[in-house]
Amino acid sequence: MQPILTAHLFAPLNEELVDLLRSLSADEWNARAVGTWSVKDVAAHLLDTSLRRLSAQRDRYMAPLDAAAGLAAAINSLNAQWVSAAQRLSPAILIEMIERYGAAMADYIDTLDPFATADWAVSWAGEETSPVWFDVARELTERWHHQQQIRDAARRPPLYDLRYFKPVMDTFLRALPFGYRHASAAEGTAIAFDIREVTNCSLVRSNNRWELAENANHAAATVHMNGDTAWRLFTKGIAREEARRRSAIDGDAALAEPLFSMVAIVA
């Protein structure tokens, strides 16, 4: 599997976000987007991710983080603090800051060596250390899927342009070996994953573990789902039962089952 290089996509994706936010009505800003968060809350969260990365990586300023309760709990606490404080900001101020600091983050990411070791490992892929390119690609999935949540809430067309959608889905699929870590199968067993009209890959059982491959012959099972179903499944935006209903499985259905419990976000 080749590295997924995405640094060049941050600037245009931020421009897509700014254009989207500028088009929203007052009612759309207040529309419920995900959980208890409104569109405005999600936009504020996207600003926070830019500011947090610039502060921690570019400026080497680390905010206090109480990790005693676990990574997900600590991140959720930080997110909640920021969204609460951002209630006092107007949509116009948020757009102005997102435009400025989203661009600043894109400029900073473009300076990084993609093959160096990242400051943060990609936890949902089960990694203890990750290359910069994987951490950057993970960041792109965050910014893309939160923009999708805004588009859903405001009833705007999804951003399924393959220049974004394919690397996002390729990155999500890097969670497969970790997601299948408890699944047993005979040596050489292959499972194919077909995200229709977006991307595909395979898992192969080798040396008592699962390894990603670009494709494999004679798959014991093939899972077919469209990209809309896949990104919602991996970001907890759809119930696993609904994702299973929307999918087609050829071959041994039991081999497909771990996919429907897989998550590719910190949650």
Side-chain angles (χ1 to χ4, degrees), residues 144-184:
W144 181 88
H145 96 261
H146 285 310
Q147 185 174 155
Q148 287 302 114
Q149 291 167 342
I150 293 173
R151 289 175 176 275
D152 277 356
R155 301 183 183 278
R156 300 304 170 86
L159 188 59
Y160 287 163
D161 183 333
L162 285 180
R163 84 170 150 159
Y164 306 114
F165 202 16
K166 185 180 188 307
V168 164
M169 291 308 312
D170 284 340
T171 304
F172 283 151
L173 290 172
R174 294 296 174 114
L176 281 166
F178 186 63
Y180 270 75
R181 65 194 181 279
H182 300 307
S184 298

Side-chain angles (χ1 to χ4, degrees), residues 5-265:
L5 302 178
T6 60
H8 62 290
L9 296 174
F10 281 79
L13 184 61
N14 195 64
E15 291 169 5
E16 295 275 5
L17 175 63
V18 169
D19 289 345
L20 170 64
L21 296 178
R22 283 181 174 149
S23 74
L24 299 180
S25 68
D27 286 343
E28 288 168 337
W29 275 95
N30 292 321
R32 181 176 175 181
V34 56
T36 61
W37 280 7
S38 67
V39 164
K40 184 170 179 283
D41 294 333
V42 176
H45 173 64
L46 284 168
L47 171 61
D48 182 31
T49 61
S50 296
L51 295 175
R52 198 186 303 172
R53 184 174 285 267
L54 286 169
S55 295
Q57 289 192 301
R58 187 192 67 182
D59 303 338
R60 292 296 163 185
Y61 176 81
M62 297 299 296
L65 179 66
D66 181 10
L71 177 63
I75 295 298
N76 288 339
S77 176
L78 286 178
N79 292 343
Q81 291 170 18
W82 178 268
V83 166
S84 177
Q87 295 297 320
R88 68 193 67 178
L89 301 180
S90 68
I93 290 291
L94 280 176
I95 293 171
E96 182 180 333
M97 294 180 74
I98 287 168
E99 182 173 31
R100 176 176 177 177
Y101 290 107
M105 188 180 79
D107 287 344
Y108 173 70
I109 283 175
D110 202 40
T111 70
L112 300 176
D113 176 358
F115 302 104
T117 299
D119 289 342
W120 303 295
V122 182
S123 60
W124 47 253
E127 296 197 347
E128 295 185 359
T129 60
S130 298
V132 164
W133 68 257
F134 195 10
D135 177 47
V136 167
R138 180 208 57 77
E139 184 67 40
L140 186 79
T141 69
E142 284 284 313
R143 304 194 71 76
W144 181 88
H145 96 261
H146 285 310
Q147 185 174 155
Q148 287 302 114
Q149 291 167 342
I150 293 173
R151 289 175 176 275
D152 277 356
R155 301 183 183 278
R156 300 304 170 86
L159 188 59
Y160 287 163
D161 183 333
L162 285 180
R163 84 170 150 159
Y164 306 114
F165 202 16
K166 185 180 188 307
V168 164
M169 291 308 312
D170 284 340
T171 304
F172 283 151
L173 290 172
R174 294 296 174 114
L176 281 166
F178 186 63
Y180 270 75
R181 65 194 181 279
H182 300 307
S184 298
E187 190 78 357
T189 298
I191 311 168
F193 302 89
D194 170 32
I195 311 300
R196 295 189 187 102
E197 299 182 358
V198 182
T199 193
N200 59 76
C201 70
S202 298
L203 271 181
V204 179
R205 188 72 174 174
S206 178
N207 298 317
N208 294 317
R209 64 176 187 158
W210 292 100
E211 296 181 348
L212 276 174
E214 291 188 358
N215 50 61
N217 296 323
H218 310 297
T222 301
V223 185
H224 307 272
M225 68 172 62
N226 63 32
D228 184 84
T229 299
W231 82 260
R232 295 177 194 280
L233 171 65
F234 299 151
T235 61
K236 300 181 71 173
I238 189 174
R240 68 185 65 176
E241 293 79 12
E242 178 64 13
R244 194 182 292 110
R245 186 187 67 78
R246 295 185 186 185
S247 304
I249 302 168
D250 300 329
D252 186 350
L255 288 173
E257 198 59 28
L259 175 72
F260 298 103
S261 298
M262 202 175 80
V263 175
I265 55 174

